[in-house]
Amino acid sequence: MVLKVLTGNYAVAEAVKLARVDVVAAYPITPQTSIVEKLAEYIESGELEAKMIRVESEHSALAAVFGAAIAGARAFTATSSQGLLYMHEWVHWVSRARIPVVMAIVTRAIGTPWNIWPDHADFLDQRDTGWIMSFAMDNQEVLDLTIQAFKISEDPRVYLPVMIGLEGFILGHTSMPVDVPDPDKVAEWLGPRRQPYVIDGSKPWALGSLAWPEETEEMFMDIQKAMEESKKVIVEVDEEYGRLFGRKYGGLIACHRCSDAKYHIVSMGAWSGDIIESIELLRNEGYPVGLIRIRYVRPFPDKEIYGIVSNSRAVIVFDRAISYGSMGPLYMDLVAGLTKYTRKLPYMRNIIAGIGGVNITYQDFYKLIKETIDSLEKGVEPPVFTWYHRRG
């Protein structure tokens, strides 16, 4: 291990270098750009033997990565916000083709109005695309998730693309100490590239041809089966990584103070660290509260969360995105997922906050959690859906 001080974006680039990718294609967009700038530096200096493809748009970036991947290359790209929306057609195409690809999403609010600050809307907009979706809390996890993404994506039980989310600026441009594992050990662990088929011109292939409805449905069902199978793979990879490199996170979720908690908070991303601070303050005051941090949105960890909250008095889900006309995406996924295991849910509250990059502090979380628990202890249920707007 080597300790380096890295921004979240540089942690992604470091992990991609460790994975020894063959092809990088990308188009610059704030706040993602410094990932591919750093990768270009690695390629130019000879630290990474890879081909950098300069393209005219994000749509072309993922198309180029897809072409490289089906030809047998380990390939990577990254984007944010409007760029992700622009490549959306290819996001679906890659997963339908069942080809391993890794992409980093440095989150940023979707315009208009024009906004460069982060929330989770661009990332969570991809929930139905057939990609495995992970999200980091800090820069160490950014690096570790990115390395693991290649292992998961290329597992024969999966063969699905993987995207890693991190908040723009909050993680992307903030420097933190990061333990970087030995390059040779990472290369040995990842092994050679694996994929279900290769199109290299040696024999005729047809990709993306017209299919009958029944065949199309069967292919889509296979994606769902692979997504479910990936739950086992994610846990295995997390365990293996922990044994080899000294860090494991818990698989699909990470828990803080969950074992004896009566009230549970559910969150995703960097602000989970602020929630942990608020939980410690509340614990000192006698509030039995714990945090369930979602590390993988797809496959969604409903069973894993149910095992924790089945006897909970209440669950508060903090969402940094909203499905307009409904509620927060994490909340909706969780409520729907829990109904597979029980008809009697605990009181569940959804709090939307931090949209468009509005700063939410540990004091805000402390206040919202405390007020919710105090009301419930008095027999009064707060509104199930709340939009918390903080000014200044």
Side-chain angles (χ1 to χ4, degrees):
M1 296 284 184
V2 176
L3 187 64
K4 295 185 179 182
V5 177
L6 301 172
T7 65
N9 282 2
Y10 285 2
V12 172
E14 188 78 25
V16 173
K17 181 178 73 169
L18 289 167
R20 299 183 180 177
V21 300
D22 303 299
V23 173
V24 178
Y27 189 81
I29 183 172
T30 301
Q32 171 277 128
T33 306
S34 59
I35 293 177
V36 290
E37 285 179 338
K38 180 56 71 173
L39 286 170
E41 289 179 22
Y42 289 150
I43 293 169
E44 183 68 19
S45 67
E47 294 179 67
L48 175 61
E49 294 184 13
K51 174 71 174 178
M52 172 67 76
I53 304 177
R54 297 187 296 273
V55 294
E56 72 278 7
S57 71
E58 291 86 359
H59 186 277
S60 299
L62 191 52
V65 161
F66 173 72
I70 62 173
R74 184 170 283 165
F76 171 83
T77 189
T79 191
S80 301
S81 188
Q82 314 295 135
L84 179 57
L85 301 189
Y86 192 27
M87 66 166 57
H88 194 68
E89 176 189 7
W90 277 102
V91 174
H92 281 274
W93 192 282
V94 173
S95 64
R96 302 302 195 268
R98 300 297 300 276
I99 202 72
V101 163
V102 173
M103 174 166 62
I105 309 300
V106 188
T107 68
R108 164 183 156 185
I110 296 171
T112 61
W114 210 239
N115 182 307
I116 61 169
W117 291 274
D119 57 27
H120 296 162
D122 54 351
F123 183 82
L124 290 173
D125 191 48
Q126 312 307 309
R127 291 178 299 154
D128 299 333
T129 60
W131 285 58
I132 293 170
M133 301 172 63
S134 63
F135 209 99
M137 187 180 79
D138 57 32
N139 294 356
Q140 182 68 66
E141 191 173 23
V142 167
L143 179 131
D144 295 334
L145 279 175
T146 305
I147 294 171
Q148 292 176 30
F150 290 96
K151 187 79 168 180
I152 294 163
S153 183
E154 296 173 16
D155 191 293
R157 293 167 289 178
V158 179
Y159 285 148
L160 287 172
V162 180
M163 61 177 70
I164 307 102
L166 61 151
E167 282 102 341
F169 301 113
I170 296 174
L171 295 185
H173 288 67
T174 300
S175 296
M176 302 178 190
V178 175
D179 272 328
V180 178
D182 179 83
D184 291 333
K185 289 184 178 179
V186 173
E188 182 182 359
W189 182 60
L190 289 180
R193 163 84 170 175
R194 292 186 292 180
Q195 61 190 77
Y197 57 89
V198 175
I199 300 178
D200 59 6
S202 61
K203 60 182 179 180
W205 260 88
L207 184 66
S209 304
L210 182 67
W212 291 107
E214 292 80 8
E215 293 166 339
T216 302
E217 183 179 64
E218 185 176 345
M219 290 172 67
F220 290 177
M221 289 170 64
D222 284 343
I223 292 174
Q224 175 67 8
K225 292 174 184 175
M227 192 67 76
E228 289 297 325
E229 190 69 18
S230 73
K231 287 188 174 185
K232 302 176 192 173
V233 177
I234 288 166
V235 172
E236 288 175 13
V237 167
D238 184 53
E239 291 284 340
E240 286 177 10
Y241 195 86
R243 288 195 299 270
L244 288 171
F245 304 110
R247 286 181 302 279
K248 64 177 181 178
Y249 295 86
L252 293 124
I253 60 174
C255 284
H256 178 77
R257 297 270 202 159
C258 286
S259 59
D260 62 341
K262 301 301 180 185
Y263 297 92
H264 291 93
I265 314 304
V266 176
S267 70
M268 180 183 81
W271 68 358
S272 302
D274 299 289
I275 294 174
I276 288 172
E277 285 190 54
S278 69
I279 284 174
E280 290 306 306
L281 291 174
L282 289 163
R283 281 281 182 160
N284 290 337
E285 296 177 18
Y287 289 85
V289 59
L291 172 69
I292 302 168
R293 180 169 64 86
I294 293 176
R295 301 183 68 241
Y296 284 82
V297 181
R298 288 292 181 273
F300 193 78
D302 44 27
K303 184 177 181 180
E304 291 75 11
I305 295 176
Y306 173 70
I308 297 168
V309 305
S310 55
N311 295 314
S312 181
R313 294 177 188 170
V315 178
I316 306 171
V317 181
F318 284 99
D319 262 294
R320 203 162 194 169
I322 184 168
S323 179
Y324 295 107
S326 186
M327 303 175 78
L330 297 180
Y331 181 85
M332 290 190 294
D333 274 356
L334 182 55
V335 170
L338 291 180
T339 59
K340 293 195 297 186
Y341 307 102
T342 181
R343 292 290 179 267
K344 188 177 181 181
L345 296 177
Y347 165 80
M348 299 192 64
R349 189 179 195 196
N350 187 203
I351 300 178
I352 308 292
I355 302 298
V358 171
N359 186 37
I360 304 297
T361 69
Y362 76 91
Q363 293 101 327
D364 295 311
F365 287 118
Y366 170 86
K367 171 188 170 185
L368 291 165
I369 297 167
K370 187 175 188 298
E371 287 177 351
T372 301
I373 296 175
D374 287 345
S375 293
L376 292 171
E377 291 292 338
K378 294 174 184 176
V380 179
E381 290 190 355
V384 169
F385 177 75
T386 302
W387 190 310
Y388 178 68
H389 184 49
R390 182 179 187 271
R391 291 189 176 274

